Amino acid sequence: MSLQESNVRSASVSRKTNETDIQLTFQVDGTGVSEIQTDVPFLNHMLDLFTKHGQFNLNVVAKGDIEIDDHHTVEDIGICLGQTLREALGDKKGIKRYASVFVPMDEALAQVVIDISNRPHLEYRAQYPSQNVGSFDTQLVHEFLWKLALEARITLHVIVHYGQNTHHMIEGIFKALGRALDEATSIDPRVQGVPSTKGVL
């Protein structure tokens, strides 16, 4: 994994196992540009939305054992994204830390609340009308978000308040995730050091 460069909040990671082979680069302060090549088309779409709405830059090349299912690929991309996010933020000085964002997607309403706390936790409240979107298993949304929160060491609350279309509901989550993470990682010039009475995050 690369070291964080001064004034450039970005990081890269390579992860190769018997199940997946992933190269991922994440830049916090980007322009919404994504280059995503995985074997999971629905995840490609969701990561593109996440990147665009968060104004990040994201490059992912991933191969996995999709002949079994998409689980390992989705999970390991969540791991890699979380690791690069944590590294890119460095000591977290000056960040806003918290964010809460609602995103409507037609009939669906998703909410993502973030605390960049160094305490990994996921609360996930979503009930989908269908188990799959195309060939994508909706259970994998939880796996992705949990590994992201765990590796980034953030507190992440995800709530889908209502919806009728599973695609819309998940799309709302990823758009809200990008926008909430963008706000929580943004620099507030009023913040001296890290935004914690402990003096460290």
Side-chain angles (χ1 to χ4, degrees):
M1 195 178 292
S2 69
L3 295 176
Q4 182 195 26
E5 300 177 28
S6 60
N7 301 321
V8 178
R9 296 191 297 173
S10 67
S12 298
V13 65
S14 294
R15 176 182 174 87
K16 188 169 185 178
T17 71
N18 291 333
E19 299 165 342
T20 61
D21 186 355
I22 299 169
Q23 291 80 46
L24 187 149
T25 298
F26 181 67
Q27 183 175 342
V28 175
D29 305 303
T31 56
V33 175
S34 62
E35 295 183 16
I36 301 166
Q37 302 174 44
T38 85
D39 299 320
V40 187
F42 185 74
L43 181 64
N44 294 349
H45 179 40
M46 293 302 108
L47 290 176
D48 184 50
L49 293 168
F50 161 78
T51 304
K52 177 64 70 175
H53 284 265
Q55 290 297 301
F56 310 123
N57 289 345
L58 176 63
N59 186 291
V60 184
V61 178
K63 295 289 183 183
D65 54 355
I66 61 166
E67 69 278 4
I68 297 173
D69 67 11
D70 296 339
H71 185 106
H72 296 139
T73 302
V74 175
E75 180 179 43
D76 285 9
I77 290 173
I79 289 171
C80 291
L81 182 59
Q83 289 175 345
T84 55
L85 171 59
R86 184 182 180 193
E87 182 178 352
L89 290 178
D91 59 16
K92 306 179 184 68
K93 287 183 178 178
I95 65 168
K96 288 187 176 180
R97 177 177 170 177
Y98 294 99
S100 176
V101 171
F102 287 88
V103 166
M105 180 62 201
D106 293 356
E107 86 299 337
L109 181 65
Q111 180 185 15
V112 172
V113 185
I114 289 177
D115 176 11
I116 302 177
S117 59
N118 202 34
R119 295 190 303 276
H121 185 83
L122 173 66
E123 285 293 328
Y124 181 70
R125 308 291 171 85
Q127 294 185 339
Y128 302 112
S130 60
Q131 185 176 343
N132 296 89
V133 178
S135 62
F136 185 83
D137 185 347
T138 60
Q139 293 182 90
L140 298 181
V141 178
H142 177 275
E143 291 304 311
F144 176 86
L145 294 170
W146 168 227
K147 294 309 188 296
L148 170 64
L150 182 65
E151 295 294 335
R153 297 191 63 83
I154 62 176
T155 296
L156 181 60
H157 289 237
V158 175
I159 306 157
V160 179
H161 291 279
Y162 46 79
Q164 297 176 355
N165 182 291
T166 301
H167 187 134
H168 291 168
M169 295 163 79
I170 297 172
E171 184 167 332
I173 289 174
F174 276 84
K175 288 178 176 178
L177 177 64
R179 289 179 174 271
L181 191 59
D182 176 42
E183 182 178 339
T185 59
S186 64
I187 300 298
D188 185 338
R190 298 170 299 174
V191 176
Q192 301 298 312
V194 298
S196 172
T197 54
K198 297 177 182 178
V200 65
L201 285 172

